[in-house]
Amino acid sequence: MSLVEGVKAIKEQILVKDSGFVQLPPGMVFLNRLQFGFYSVLARLDVEVDYAAVERAFLREAGLLG
């Protein structure tokens, strides 16, 4: 399963019925802010990183990826 398919599957599990609204856990909002901030700093430093590998490792450790 690709990362996109995995995220879609998670979204379907947490989608609030008939509203189209996805209820995110509070920690997820903070995590997204950290993630984008981290990517922003790396981009400004002109650093090359395999983001897909970093994401896979995180998702695997979090139990969200097999």
Side-chain angles (χ1 to χ4, degrees):
M1 175 185 300
S2 74
L3 179 60
V4 173
E5 290 168 339
V7 170
K8 285 181 181 179
I10 292 169
K11 181 185 131 193
E12 289 175 12
Q13 292 174 0
I14 60 175
L15 187 66
V16 177
K17 289 188 178 199
D18 300 324
S19 72
F21 179 73
V22 175
Q23 183 72 38
L24 293 176
M28 188 65 143
V29 175
F30 181 67
L31 178 66
N32 283 343
R33 290 187 69 169
L34 284 175
Q35 181 182 33
F36 291 124
F38 173 69
Y39 291 165
S40 215
V41 169
L42 291 178
R44 296 279 273 165
L45 294 173
D46 201 26
V47 175
E48 291 187 24
V49 175
D50 183 359
Y51 294 117
V54 172
E55 294 282 332
R56 278 191 303 273
F58 169 76
L59 292 171
R60 192 170 290 114
E61 185 176 326
L64 298 173
L65 187 66

mmCIF file of all heavy atoms in Angstrom, residues 1-51:
data_model
loop_
_atom_site.group_PDB
_atom_site.id
_atom_site.type_symbol
_atom_site.label_atom_id
_atom_site.label_comp_id
_atom_site.label_asym_id
_atom_site.label_seq_id
_atom_site.Cartn_x
_atom_site.Cartn_y
_atom_site.Cartn_z
ATOM 1 N N MET A 1 0.859 -1.176 0.000
ATOM 2 C CA MET A 1 0.000 0.000 0.000
ATOM 3 C C MET A 1 0.904 1.239 0.000
ATOM 4 O O MET A 1 1.853 1.324 0.753
ATOM 5 C CB MET A 1 -0.886 -0.022 1.245
ATOM 6 C CG MET A 1 -1.729 1.204 1.393
ATOM 7 S SD MET A 1 -2.715 1.320 2.903
ATOM 8 C CE MET A 1 -3.753 -0.094 2.806
ATOM 9 N N SER A 2 0.579 2.193 -0.842
ATOM 10 C CA SER A 2 1.369 3.423 -0.908
ATOM 11 C C SER A 2 1.022 4.339 0.268
ATOM 12 O O SER A 2 -0.002 4.143 0.948
ATOM 13 C CB SER A 2 1.098 4.158 -2.219
ATOM 14 O OG SER A 2 -0.170 4.769 -2.193
ATOM 15 N N LEU A 3 1.849 5.339 0.488
ATOM 16 C CA LEU A 3 1.606 6.301 1.562
ATOM 17 C C LEU A 3 0.270 7.013 1.339
ATOM 18 O O LEU A 3 -0.517 7.187 2.273
ATOM 19 C CB LEU A 3 2.747 7.315 1.632
ATOM 20 C CG LEU A 3 2.621 8.398 2.686
ATOM 21 C CD1 LEU A 3 2.548 7.775 4.077
ATOM 22 C CD2 LEU A 3 3.784 9.362 2.604
ATOM 23 N N VAL A 4 -0.010 7.377 0.093
ATOM 24 C CA VAL A 4 -1.265 8.079 -0.211
ATOM 25 C C VAL A 4 -2.464 7.177 0.101
ATOM 26 O O VAL A 4 -3.440 7.620 0.713
ATOM 27 C CB VAL A 4 -1.291 8.535 -1.684
ATOM 28 C CG1 VAL A 4 -2.651 9.097 -2.057
ATOM 29 C CG2 VAL A 4 -0.204 9.558 -1.940
ATOM 30 N N GLU A 5 -2.380 5.916 -0.300
ATOM 31 C CA GLU A 5 -3.478 4.999 -0.015
ATOM 32 C C GLU A 5 -3.652 4.819 1.490
ATOM 33 O O GLU A 5 -4.774 4.740 1.991
ATOM 34 C CB GLU A 5 -3.221 3.642 -0.673
ATOM 35 C CG GLU A 5 -3.318 3.687 -2.185
ATOM 36 C CD GLU A 5 -2.778 2.420 -2.831
ATOM 37 O OE1 GLU A 5 -1.987 1.688 -2.192
ATOM 38 O OE2 GLU A 5 -3.146 2.162 -3.982
ATOM 39 N N GLY A 6 -2.539 4.751 2.226
ATOM 40 C CA GLY A 6 -2.600 4.613 3.677
ATOM 41 C C GLY A 6 -3.265 5.803 4.336
ATOM 42 O O GLY A 6 -4.102 5.646 5.236
ATOM 43 N N VAL A 7 -2.917 6.997 3.876
ATOM 44 C CA VAL A 7 -3.520 8.210 4.433
ATOM 45 C C VAL A 7 -5.016 8.244 4.114
ATOM 46 O O VAL A 7 -5.831 8.611 4.960
ATOM 47 C CB VAL A 7 -2.807 9.475 3.913
ATOM 48 C CG1 VAL A 7 -3.574 10.730 4.284
ATOM 49 C CG2 VAL A 7 -1.386 9.532 4.447
ATOM 50 N N LYS A 8 -5.382 7.838 2.900
ATOM 51 C CA LYS A 8 -6.812 7.801 2.546
ATOM 52 C C LYS A 8 -7.563 6.819 3.441
ATOM 53 O O LYS A 8 -8.683 7.103 3.876
ATOM 54 C CB LYS A 8 -6.988 7.413 1.084
ATOM 55 C CG LYS A 8 -6.660 8.521 0.122
ATOM 56 C CD LYS A 8 -6.883 8.071 -1.310
ATOM 57 C CE LYS A 8 -6.548 9.155 -2.287
ATOM 58 N NZ LYS A 8 -6.741 8.714 -3.682
ATOM 59 N N ALA A 9 -6.953 5.676 3.724
ATOM 60 C CA ALA A 9 -7.604 4.685 4.588
ATOM 61 C C ALA A 9 -7.786 5.235 6.001
ATOM 62 O O ALA A 9 -8.840 5.062 6.615
ATOM 63 C CB ALA A 9 -6.782 3.399 4.632
ATOM 64 N N ILE A 10 -6.776 5.940 6.507
ATOM 65 C CA ILE A 10 -6.872 6.543 7.838
ATOM 66 C C ILE A 10 -7.962 7.609 7.836
ATOM 67 O O ILE A 10 -8.762 7.702 8.756
ATOM 68 C CB ILE A 10 -5.518 7.139 8.269
ATOM 69 C CG1 ILE A 10 -4.504 6.020 8.509
ATOM 70 C CG2 ILE A 10 -5.675 8.002 9.513
ATOM 71 C CD1 ILE A 10 -3.088 6.507 8.677
ATOM 72 N N LYS A 11 -8.006 8.408 6.767
ATOM 73 C CA LYS A 11 -9.012 9.468 6.663
ATOM 74 C C LYS A 11 -10.420 8.889 6.726
ATOM 75 O O LYS A 11 -11.292 9.428 7.409
ATOM 76 C CB LYS A 11 -8.829 10.248 5.366
ATOM 77 C CG LYS A 11 -9.823 11.376 5.187
ATOM 78 C CD LYS A 11 -9.645 12.011 3.845
ATOM 79 C CE LYS A 11 -11.002 12.107 3.214
ATOM 80 N NZ LYS A 11 -11.012 12.412 1.831
ATOM 81 N N GLU A 12 -10.636 7.792 6.042
ATOM 82 C CA GLU A 12 -11.965 7.178 6.049
ATOM 83 C C GLU A 12 -12.352 6.697 7.449
ATOM 84 O O GLU A 12 -13.522 6.727 7.807
ATOM 85 C CB GLU A 12 -12.008 6.025 5.052
ATOM 86 C CG GLU A 12 -11.982 6.497 3.623
ATOM 87 C CD GLU A 12 -11.912 5.357 2.619
ATOM 88 O OE1 GLU A 12 -12.115 4.195 3.019
ATOM 89 O OE2 GLU A 12 -11.651 5.647 1.446
ATOM 90 N N GLN A 13 -11.356 6.306 8.230
ATOM 91 C CA GLN A 13 -11.635 5.836 9.582
ATOM 92 C C GLN A 13 -12.024 6.980 10.516
ATOM 93 O O GLN A 13 -12.788 6.790 11.453
ATOM 94 C CB GLN A 13 -10.430 5.106 10.161
ATOM 95 C CG GLN A 13 -10.138 3.797 9.481
ATOM 96 C CD GLN A 13 -8.856 3.171 9.991
ATOM 97 O OE1 GLN A 13 -8.177 3.719 10.855
ATOM 98 N NE2 GLN A 13 -8.515 2.015 9.461
ATOM 99 N N ILE A 14 -11.479 8.177 10.275
ATOM 100 C CA ILE A 14 -11.720 9.284 11.201
ATOM 101 C C ILE A 14 -12.648 10.356 10.640
ATOM 102 O O ILE A 14 -12.898 11.361 11.289
ATOM 103 C CB ILE A 14 -10.388 9.928 11.658
ATOM 104 C CG1 ILE A 14 -9.600 10.477 10.475
ATOM 105 C CG2 ILE A 14 -9.566 8.956 12.463
ATOM 106 C CD1 ILE A 14 -8.343 11.224 10.862
ATOM 107 N N LEU A 15 -13.175 10.133 9.435
ATOM 108 C CA LEU A 15 -14.069 11.101 8.823
ATOM 109 C C LEU A 15 -15.374 11.191 9.603
ATOM 110 O O LEU A 15 -15.991 10.181 9.928
ATOM 111 C CB LEU A 15 -14.374 10.677 7.379
ATOM 112 C CG LEU A 15 -15.168 11.653 6.528
ATOM 113 C CD1 LEU A 15 -14.357 12.923 6.287
ATOM 114 C CD2 LEU A 15 -15.518 11.019 5.195
ATOM 115 N N VAL A 16 -15.775 12.417 9.927
ATOM 116 C CA VAL A 16 -17.048 12.639 10.608
ATOM 117 C C VAL A 16 -18.147 12.484 9.564
ATOM 118 O O VAL A 16 -18.146 13.173 8.544
ATOM 119 C CB VAL A 16 -17.089 14.039 11.263
ATOM 120 C CG1 VAL A 16 -18.439 14.283 11.901
ATOM 121 C CG2 VAL A 16 -15.976 14.179 12.278
ATOM 122 N N LYS A 17 -19.085 11.575 9.822
ATOM 123 C CA LYS A 17 -20.121 11.243 8.838
ATOM 124 C C LYS A 17 -20.887 12.460 8.351
ATOM 125 O O LYS A 17 -21.259 13.327 9.130
ATOM 126 C CB LYS A 17 -21.104 10.232 9.428
ATOM 127 C CG LYS A 17 -20.499 8.867 9.590
ATOM 128 C CD LYS A 17 -21.551 7.867 9.981
ATOM 129 C CE LYS A 17 -20.885 6.507 10.069
ATOM 130 N NZ LYS A 17 -21.798 5.423 10.016
ATOM 131 N N ASP A 18 -21.117 12.498 7.048
ATOM 132 C CA ASP A 18 -21.942 13.485 6.353
ATOM 133 C C ASP A 18 -21.440 14.927 6.460
ATOM 134 O O ASP A 18 -22.108 15.828 6.007
ATOM 135 C CB ASP A 18 -23.396 13.437 6.848
ATOM 136 C CG ASP A 18 -24.034 12.082 6.619
ATOM 137 O OD1 ASP A 18 -23.728 11.457 5.580
ATOM 138 O OD2 ASP A 18 -24.825 11.650 7.475
ATOM 139 N N SER A 19 -20.283 15.159 7.057
ATOM 140 C CA SER A 19 -19.822 16.536 7.170
ATOM 141 C C SER A 19 -18.631 16.816 6.263
ATOM 142 O O SER A 19 -18.351 17.970 5.957
ATOM 143 C CB SER A 19 -19.434 16.858 8.619
ATOM 144 O OG SER A 19 -18.229 16.212 8.965
ATOM 145 N N GLY A 20 -17.906 15.764 5.863
ATOM 146 C CA GLY A 20 -16.687 15.959 5.086
ATOM 147 C C GLY A 20 -15.550 16.485 5.945
ATOM 148 O O GLY A 20 -14.505 16.857 5.449
ATOM 149 N N PHE A 21 -15.767 16.533 7.245
ATOM 150 C CA PHE A 21 -14.772 17.065 8.184
ATOM 151 C C PHE A 21 -14.007 15.912 8.825
ATOM 152 O O PHE A 21 -14.596 14.937 9.255
ATOM 153 C CB PHE A 21 -15.481 17.877 9.272
ATOM 154 C CG PHE A 21 -14.551 18.459 10.298
ATOM 155 C CD1 PHE A 21 -13.737 19.531 9.996
ATOM 156 C CD2 PHE A 21 -14.498 17.916 11.569
ATOM 157 C CE1 PHE A 21 -12.884 20.062 10.944
ATOM 158 C CE2 PHE A 21 -13.646 18.444 12.520
ATOM 159 C CZ PHE A 21 -12.837 19.520 12.208
ATOM 160 N N VAL A 22 -12.711 16.045 8.872
ATOM 161 C CA VAL A 22 -11.872 15.024 9.493
ATOM 162 C C VAL A 22 -11.435 15.524 10.865
ATOM 163 O O VAL A 22 -10.819 16.588 10.983
ATOM 164 C CB VAL A 22 -10.630 14.726 8.624
ATOM 165 C CG1 VAL A 22 -9.703 13.763 9.331
ATOM 166 C CG2 VAL A 22 -11.049 14.180 7.279
ATOM 167 N N GLN A 23 -11.791 14.777 11.886
ATOM 168 C CA GLN A 23 -11.432 15.124 13.258
ATOM 169 C C GLN A 23 -10.013 14.628 13.531
ATOM 170 O O GLN A 23 -9.780 13.436 13.616
ATOM 171 C CB GLN A 23 -12.411 14.462 14.232
ATOM 172 C CG GLN A 23 -12.168 14.808 15.681
ATOM 173 C CD GLN A 23 -12.563 16.237 16.001
ATOM 174 O OE1 GLN A 23 -13.554 16.737 15.491
ATOM 175 N NE2 GLN A 23 -11.811 16.886 16.838
ATOM 176 N N LEU A 24 -9.073 15.533 13.634
ATOM 177 C CA LEU A 24 -7.692 15.158 13.910
ATOM 178 C C LEU A 24 -7.425 15.173 15.403
ATOM 179 O O LEU A 24 -7.919 16.053 16.111
ATOM 180 C CB LEU A 24 -6.725 16.129 13.232
ATOM 181 C CG LEU A 24 -6.682 16.120 11.715
ATOM 182 C CD1 LEU A 24 -5.743 17.213 11.222
ATOM 183 C CD2 LEU A 24 -6.238 14.776 11.197
ATOM 184 N N PRO A 25 -6.622 14.237 15.864
ATOM 185 C CA PRO A 25 -6.219 14.288 17.269
ATOM 186 C C PRO A 25 -5.397 15.562 17.514
ATOM 187 O O PRO A 25 -4.694 16.019 16.607
ATOM 188 C CB PRO A 25 -5.337 13.051 17.444
ATOM 189 C CG PRO A 25 -5.578 12.199 16.246
ATOM 190 C CD PRO A 25 -6.082 13.094 15.166
ATOM 191 N N PRO A 26 -5.475 16.142 18.705
ATOM 192 C CA PRO A 26 -4.756 17.393 18.978
ATOM 193 C C PRO A 26 -3.260 17.317 18.672
ATOM 194 O O PRO A 26 -2.680 18.257 18.148
ATOM 195 C CB PRO A 26 -4.988 17.627 20.474
ATOM 196 C CG PRO A 26 -6.219 16.862 20.801
ATOM 197 C CD PRO A 26 -6.251 15.698 19.868
ATOM 198 N N GLY A 27 -2.637 16.194 18.972
ATOM 199 C CA GLY A 27 -1.201 16.054 18.723
ATOM 200 C C GLY A 27 -0.851 16.076 17.257
ATOM 201 O O GLY A 27 0.258 16.453 16.871
ATOM 202 N N MET A 28 -1.798 15.704 16.395
ATOM 203 C CA MET A 28 -1.535 15.659 14.962
ATOM 204 C C MET A 28 -1.340 17.056 14.389
ATOM 205 O O MET A 28 -0.506 17.265 13.514
ATOM 206 C CB MET A 28 -2.684 14.949 14.254
ATOM 207 C CG MET A 28 -2.413 14.703 12.822
ATOM 208 S SD MET A 28 -1.045 13.553 12.681
ATOM 209 C CE MET A 28 -1.563 12.619 11.311
ATOM 210 N N VAL A 29 -2.102 18.023 14.882
ATOM 211 C CA VAL A 29 -1.958 19.397 14.413
ATOM 212 C C VAL A 29 -0.563 19.905 14.768
ATOM 213 O O VAL A 29 0.126 20.502 13.936
ATOM 214 C CB VAL A 29 -3.046 20.305 15.020
ATOM 215 C CG1 VAL A 29 -2.822 21.750 14.643
ATOM 216 C CG2 VAL A 29 -4.427 19.843 14.573
ATOM 217 N N PHE A 30 -0.126 19.643 15.987
ATOM 218 C CA PHE A 30 1.207 20.063 16.421
ATOM 219 C C PHE A 30 2.274 19.357 15.592
ATOM 220 O O PHE A 30 3.251 19.978 15.172
ATOM 221 C CB PHE A 30 1.387 19.751 17.913
ATOM 222 C CG PHE A 30 2.720 20.176 18.456
ATOM 223 C CD1 PHE A 30 3.049 21.522 18.551
ATOM 224 C CD2 PHE A 30 3.645 19.243 18.860
ATOM 225 C CE1 PHE A 30 4.280 21.923 19.042
ATOM 226 C CE2 PHE A 30 4.866 19.624 19.352
ATOM 227 C CZ PHE A 30 5.194 20.968 19.447
ATOM 228 N N LEU A 31 2.080 18.076 15.336
ATOM 229 C CA LEU A 31 3.032 17.307 14.544
ATOM 230 C C LEU A 31 3.158 17.890 13.140
ATOM 231 O O LEU A 31 4.269 18.036 12.612
ATOM 232 C CB LEU A 31 2.611 15.840 14.467
ATOM 233 C CG LEU A 31 3.500 14.945 13.631
ATOM 234 C CD1 LEU A 31 4.878 14.823 14.251
ATOM 235 C CD2 LEU A 31 2.883 13.578 13.494
ATOM 236 N N ASN A 32 2.040 18.248 12.525
ATOM 237 C CA ASN A 32 2.084 18.845 11.188
ATOM 238 C C ASN A 32 2.852 20.155 11.189
ATOM 239 O O ASN A 32 3.622 20.434 10.274
ATOM 240 C CB ASN A 32 0.683 19.060 10.645
ATOM 241 C CG ASN A 32 0.053 17.782 10.160
ATOM 242 O OD1 ASN A 32 0.740 16.797 9.932
ATOM 243 N ND2 ASN A 32 -1.249 17.777 10.013
ATOM 244 N N ARG A 33 2.655 20.959 12.203
ATOM 245 C CA ARG A 33 3.385 22.234 12.291
ATOM 246 C C ARG A 33 4.879 21.993 12.422
ATOM 247 O O ARG A 33 5.684 22.664 11.782
ATOM 248 C CB ARG A 33 2.877 23.060 13.468
ATOM 249 C CG ARG A 33 1.475 23.584 13.238
ATOM 250 C CD ARG A 33 1.054 24.516 14.310
ATOM 251 N NE ARG A 33 1.850 25.733 14.184
ATOM 252 C CZ ARG A 33 1.606 26.844 14.838
ATOM 253 N NH1 ARG A 33 0.573 26.906 15.648
ATOM 254 N NH2 ARG A 33 2.359 27.890 14.686
ATOM 255 N N LEU A 34 5.256 21.020 13.250
ATOM 256 C CA LEU A 34 6.674 20.686 13.389
ATOM 257 C C LEU A 34 7.249 20.173 12.077
ATOM 258 O O LEU A 34 8.356 20.552 11.671
ATOM 259 C CB LEU A 34 6.866 19.611 14.472
ATOM 260 C CG LEU A 34 6.769 20.058 15.906
ATOM 261 C CD1 LEU A 34 6.861 18.854 16.839
ATOM 262 C CD2 LEU A 34 7.880 21.041 16.228
ATOM 263 N N GLN A 35 6.499 19.312 11.422
ATOM 264 C CA GLN A 35 6.948 18.709 10.169
ATOM 265 C C GLN A 35 7.190 19.786 9.106
ATOM 266 O O GLN A 35 8.247 19.813 8.482
ATOM 267 C CB GLN A 35 5.901 17.719 9.697
ATOM 268 C CG GLN A 35 6.250 17.012 8.414
ATOM 269 C CD GLN A 35 5.134 16.087 7.980
ATOM 270 O OE1 GLN A 35 3.957 16.359 8.215
ATOM 271 N NE2 GLN A 35 5.499 15.003 7.359
ATOM 272 N N PHE A 36 6.231 20.649 8.896
ATOM 273 C CA PHE A 36 6.398 21.676 7.873
ATOM 274 C C PHE A 36 7.485 22.681 8.251
ATOM 275 O O PHE A 36 8.203 23.178 7.386
ATOM 276 C CB PHE A 36 5.069 22.368 7.577
ATOM 277 C CG PHE A 36 4.088 21.471 6.892
ATOM 278 C CD1 PHE A 36 2.841 21.252 7.429
ATOM 279 C CD2 PHE A 36 4.430 20.815 5.720
ATOM 280 C CE1 PHE A 36 1.936 20.402 6.801
ATOM 281 C CE2 PHE A 36 3.528 19.965 5.085
ATOM 282 C CZ PHE A 36 2.282 19.760 5.634
ATOM 283 N N GLY A 37 7.615 22.968 9.533
ATOM 284 C CA GLY A 37 8.699 23.841 9.984
ATOM 285 C C GLY A 37 10.054 23.215 9.714
ATOM 286 O O GLY A 37 10.987 23.881 9.242
ATOM 287 N N PHE A 38 10.178 21.929 9.990
ATOM 288 C CA PHE A 38 11.409 21.191 9.746
ATOM 289 C C PHE A 38 11.754 21.211 8.259
ATOM 290 O O PHE A 38 12.890 21.496 7.864
ATOM 291 C CB PHE A 38 11.226 19.754 10.242
ATOM 292 C CG PHE A 38 12.356 18.826 9.922
ATOM 293 C CD1 PHE A 38 13.584 18.975 10.523
ATOM 294 C CD2 PHE A 38 12.164 17.781 9.027
ATOM 295 C CE1 PHE A 38 14.620 18.111 10.230
ATOM 296 C CE2 PHE A 38 13.189 16.912 8.730
ATOM 297 C CZ PHE A 38 14.428 17.076 9.332
ATOM 298 N N TYR A 39 10.776 20.936 7.413
ATOM 299 C CA TYR A 39 11.008 20.934 5.967
ATOM 300 C C TYR A 39 11.400 22.328 5.484
ATOM 301 O O TYR A 39 12.226 22.483 4.593
ATOM 302 C CB TYR A 39 9.764 20.465 5.218
ATOM 303 C CG TYR A 39 9.436 19.004 5.401
ATOM 304 C CD1 TYR A 39 8.201 18.511 5.048
ATOM 305 C CD2 TYR A 39 10.361 18.107 5.936
ATOM 306 C CE1 TYR A 39 7.888 17.166 5.209
ATOM 307 C CE2 TYR A 39 10.051 16.772 6.100
ATOM 308 C CZ TYR A 39 8.818 16.306 5.732
ATOM 309 O OH TYR A 39 8.507 14.984 5.889
ATOM 310 N N SER A 40 10.796 23.331 6.081
ATOM 311 C CA SER A 40 11.086 24.708 5.709
ATOM 312 C C SER A 40 12.542 25.064 6.006
ATOM 313 O O SER A 40 13.233 25.673 5.186
ATOM 314 C CB SER A 40 10.173 25.598 6.529
ATOM 315 O OG SER A 40 9.761 26.689 5.866
ATOM 316 N N VAL A 41 13.000 24.682 7.183
ATOM 317 C CA VAL A 41 14.390 24.955 7.573
ATOM 318 C C VAL A 41 15.348 24.226 6.639
ATOM 319 O O VAL A 41 16.331 24.803 6.159
ATOM 320 C CB VAL A 41 14.643 24.545 9.047
ATOM 321 C CG1 VAL A 41 16.121 24.563 9.371
ATOM 322 C CG2 VAL A 41 13.880 25.466 9.989
ATOM 323 N N LEU A 42 15.072 22.956 6.358
ATOM 324 C CA LEU A 42 15.946 22.196 5.464
ATOM 325 C C LEU A 42 15.974 22.807 4.063
ATOM 326 O O LEU A 42 17.032 22.867 3.427
ATOM 327 C CB LEU A 42 15.500 20.731 5.390
ATOM 328 C CG LEU A 42 15.714 19.919 6.662
ATOM 329 C CD1 LEU A 42 15.180 18.504 6.473
ATOM 330 C CD2 LEU A 42 17.173 19.884 7.061
ATOM 331 N N ALA A 43 14.835 23.272 3.593
ATOM 332 C CA ALA A 43 14.780 23.884 2.262
ATOM 333 C C ALA A 43 15.614 25.157 2.222
ATOM 334 O O ALA A 43 16.336 25.408 1.258
ATOM 335 C CB ALA A 43 13.332 24.177 1.880
ATOM 336 N N ARG A 44 15.536 25.959 3.287
ATOM 337 C CA ARG A 44 16.318 27.202 3.337
ATOM 338 C C ARG A 44 17.817 26.927 3.408
ATOM 339 O O ARG A 44 18.618 27.722 2.923
ATOM 340 C CB ARG A 44 15.897 28.054 4.535
ATOM 341 C CG ARG A 44 14.476 28.536 4.480
ATOM 342 C CD ARG A 44 14.296 29.724 3.635
ATOM 343 N NE ARG A 44 14.544 30.904 4.424
ATOM 344 C CZ ARG A 44 14.742 32.080 3.911
ATOM 345 N NH1 ARG A 44 14.703 32.243 2.630
ATOM 346 N NH2 ARG A 44 14.962 33.110 4.661
ATOM 347 N N LEU A 45 18.178 25.794 4.008
ATOM 348 C CA LEU A 45 19.594 25.412 4.097
ATOM 349 C C LEU A 45 20.065 24.692 2.837
ATOM 350 O O LEU A 45 21.226 24.337 2.722
ATOM 351 C CB LEU A 45 19.820 24.503 5.311
ATOM 352 C CG LEU A 45 19.609 25.155 6.672
ATOM 353 C CD1 LEU A 45 19.698 24.108 7.769
ATOM 354 C CD2 LEU A 45 20.645 26.258 6.901
ATOM 355 N N ASP A 46 19.147 24.494 1.899
ATOM 356 C CA ASP A 46 19.434 23.806 0.642
ATOM 357 C C ASP A 46 19.977 22.397 0.878
ATOM 358 O O ASP A 46 20.921 21.954 0.252
ATOM 359 C CB ASP A 46 20.400 24.632 -0.205
ATOM 360 C CG ASP A 46 20.345 24.248 -1.668
ATOM 361 O OD1 ASP A 46 19.287 23.749 -2.111
ATOM 362 O OD2 ASP A 46 21.354 24.418 -2.370
ATOM 363 N N VAL A 47 19.344 21.703 1.831
ATOM 364 C CA VAL A 47 19.734 20.348 2.196
ATOM 365 C C VAL A 47 18.893 19.359 1.392
ATOM 366 O O VAL A 47 17.704 19.566 1.203
ATOM 367 C CB VAL A 47 19.501 20.113 3.709
ATOM 368 C CG1 VAL A 47 19.788 18.687 4.097
ATOM 369 C CG2 VAL A 47 20.361 21.069 4.515
ATOM 370 N N GLU A 48 19.532 18.287 0.944
ATOM 371 C CA GLU A 48 18.793 17.241 0.237
ATOM 372 C C GLU A 48 18.537 16.086 1.203
ATOM 373 O O GLU A 48 19.461 15.570 1.812
ATOM 374 C CB GLU A 48 19.581 16.754 -0.967
ATOM 375 C CG GLU A 48 19.676 17.797 -2.058
ATOM 376 C CD GLU A 48 20.316 17.265 -3.313
ATOM 377 O OE1 GLU A 48 20.278 16.042 -3.540
ATOM 378 O OE2 GLU A 48 20.858 18.080 -4.059
ATOM 379 N N VAL A 49 17.268 15.723 1.352
ATOM 380 C CA VAL A 49 16.870 14.676 2.281
ATOM 381 C C VAL A 49 15.849 13.776 1.588
ATOM 382 O O VAL A 49 15.020 14.256 0.822
ATOM 383 C CB VAL A 49 16.229 15.289 3.558
ATOM 384 C CG1 VAL A 49 15.711 14.220 4.483
ATOM 385 C CG2 VAL A 49 17.218 16.177 4.266
ATOM 386 N N ASP A 50 15.922 12.485 1.864
ATOM 387 C CA ASP A 50 14.926 11.546 1.351
ATOM 388 C C ASP A 50 13.719 11.601 2.290
ATOM 389 O O ASP A 50 13.603 10.828 3.231
ATOM 390 C CB ASP A 50 15.517 10.140 1.294
ATOM 391 C CG ASP A 50 14.564 9.123 0.711
ATOM 392 O OD1 ASP A 50 13.421 9.503 0.363
ATOM 393 O OD2 ASP A 50 14.947 7.955 0.616
ATOM 394 N N TYR A 51 12.814 12.562 2.019
ATOM 395 C CA TYR A 51 11.651 12.758 2.887
ATOM 396 C C TYR A 51 10.774 11.514 2.962
ATOM 397 O O TYR A 51 10.204 11.224 4.002
ATOM 398 C CB TYR A 51 10.808 13.944 2.406
ATOM 399 C CG TYR A 51 11.498 15.274 2.514
ATOM 400 C CD1 TYR A 51 11.770 16.029 1.383
ATOM 401 C CD2 TYR A 51 11.874 15.783 3.748
ATOM 402 C CE1 TYR A 51 12.411 17.254 1.483
ATOM 403 C CE2 TYR A 51 12.506 17.003 3.848
ATOM 404 C CZ TYR A 51 12.773 17.736 2.709
ATOM 405 O OH TYR A 51 13.388 18.938 2.800
#
